[in-house]
Amino acid sequence: MDREELAAFLRSRRERISPAEVGLPRGTRRRTPGLRREEVAQLAFISTEYYTRLEQARGPRPSREVLGGLARALRLSDAERAHLHHLAGAPPGPPPGPSREVRQSLLDLLRRLPQAAAFVTSATFEVLAWNDLAAALMEDFSALPPRERNLVRRAFLGPRLKGSGPYEGDPMYGVSDVEAFARLSAQRLRATAARYPDAPEVTGLVAELLAGSEEFGRLWESHDVSAEPTLVKTFRHPVVGPVTVNCDVLDITDRDQQVVIYTATPGSRSEEALRLLSVIGTQRMDDQQVDFPA
């Protein structure tokens, strides 16, 4: 165990994370960059005293459970997680949960699709990255805490969420396939739970959905693990009206993620609507719907 290097690594990772990234208020008296030690300890489910000793190179060798908690709290990439384990003298085992790190090449891909609404989701349906048109069609995800970017939580517990973006409280963006998406997400989440049986973000999400949604409970009890995806859906956008899009999903197997791409049929009214959305972005327009020529 390299205590000095471990302490420096933990400190550097803590200082790069903003409170907003983990759903914490920034406050007005924050004197340290990034998170406070007590905040990391809380997120990792360890005592503040123990975490402080680790950052001061005075702590005992952390267990694999503690290292897993620190990796989740500090939002470490797979490479950083492995480095953390090696510094602690405990070579890493299998990934403890779904990856939230999006490859730079995928981020570049999203930006290179100006005529398509595209975004990346994790194995738990959290929206991890998106392009400008996806934000205009759905909502500005950057204005939401990570917890509220989860599509399966929205599908089943949406009424509990405060409305944001142009849809005035509609948690599923006025899409035409809410019921189909609910079935698909429940079945895929069951497969995710089998791949990550000990991941708190997975088990916690499932427990929350079971407690809050009878519909999810019925789907969960069916034990189905596959469903036919929706190939075409319509968004009832309050500014540009109905937008019908083709849905394509690319699996990123090494990260257990998916790239979702929405495109409109060339020459269609929906293509005109997407083109207009790409211009106005997430700005609010007059409440009146835009009329397109027939």
Side-chain angles (χ1 to χ4, degrees), residues 203-262:
T203 57
L205 177 61
V206 171
E208 180 184 357
L209 293 169
L210 287 172
S213 171
E214 293 183 3
E215 179 188 3
F216 180 83
R218 290 193 296 271
L219 293 170
W220 189 257
E221 288 305 313
S222 72
H223 290 269
D224 292 335
V225 293
S226 63
E228 291 297 323
T230 301
L231 301 179
V232 178
K233 68 173 65 182
T234 299
F235 289 83
R236 295 180 292 275
H237 197 281
V239 174
V240 299
V243 183
T244 299
V245 293
N246 302 307
C247 310
D248 292 288
V249 179
L250 308 178
D251 289 317
I252 312 300
T253 55
D254 64 315
R255 299 292 173 89
D256 206 358
Q257 297 170 355
Q258 292 188 324
V259 180
V260 182
I261 303 174
Y262 296 148

Side-chain angles (χ1 to χ4, degrees), residues 63-274:
S63 66
R64 288 185 180 274
E65 290 75 16
V66 168
L67 292 172
L70 289 172
R72 289 189 297 272
L74 296 171
R75 303 201 163 204
L76 300 186
S77 67
D78 292 343
E80 290 170 331
R81 172 180 165 272
H83 184 59
L84 173 69
H85 277 259
H86 286 299
L87 290 177
S99 175
R100 301 184 69 259
E101 181 186 19
V102 180
R103 285 203 303 264
Q104 185 60 47
S105 60
L106 291 179
L107 298 177
D108 294 339
L109 173 64
L110 299 186
R111 287 193 292 269
R112 291 168 180 164
L113 295 172
Q115 298 180 23
F119 55 96
V120 179
T121 60
S122 71
T124 58
F125 288 89
E126 179 184 346
V127 178
L128 303 175
W130 54 91
N131 65 6
D132 291 342
L133 189 51
L137 178 64
M138 299 165 74
E139 70 177 316
D140 183 4
F141 294 103
S142 65
L144 300 175
R147 173 183 174 81
E148 293 187 18
R149 298 174 194 162
N150 188 289
L151 299 181
V152 69
R153 182 180 280 114
R154 282 175 169 271
F156 291 101
L157 305 179
R160 296 184 178 182
L161 302 174
K162 295 181 180 179
S164 60
Y167 288 94
E168 299 181 355
D170 183 339
M172 292 308 295
Y173 317 113
V175 295
S176 58
D177 67 326
V178 175
E179 293 183 0
F181 175 77
R183 290 193 301 272
L184 173 69
S185 60
Q187 292 171 15
R188 288 188 174 175
L189 188 59
R190 177 170 278 285
T192 296
R195 294 195 298 276
Y196 306 100
D198 301 319
E201 63 265 43
V202 178
T203 57
L205 177 61
V206 171
E208 180 184 357
L209 293 169
L210 287 172
S213 171
E214 293 183 3
E215 179 188 3
F216 180 83
R218 290 193 296 271
L219 293 170
W220 189 257
E221 288 305 313
S222 72
H223 290 269
D224 292 335
V225 293
S226 63
E228 291 297 323
T230 301
L231 301 179
V232 178
K233 68 173 65 182
T234 299
F235 289 83
R236 295 180 292 275
H237 197 281
V239 174
V240 299
V243 183
T244 299
V245 293
N246 302 307
C247 310
D248 292 288
V249 179
L250 308 178
D251 289 317
I252 312 300
T253 55
D254 64 315
R255 299 292 173 89
D256 206 358
Q257 297 170 355
Q258 292 188 324
V259 180
V260 182
I261 303 174
Y262 296 148
T263 56
T265 301
S268 66
R269 179 199 176 281
S270 293
E271 184 184 43
E272 294 182 42
L274 286 182

Side-chain angles (χ1 to χ4, degrees), residues 1 3 6 49-50 53-54 57-63 66 88:
M1 176 178 174
R3 285 181 170 81
L6 176 62
E49 179 185 2
Y50 180 37
R53 292 176 65 193
L54 288 176
R58 298 187 298 111
R61 183 196 302 270
S63 66
V66 168

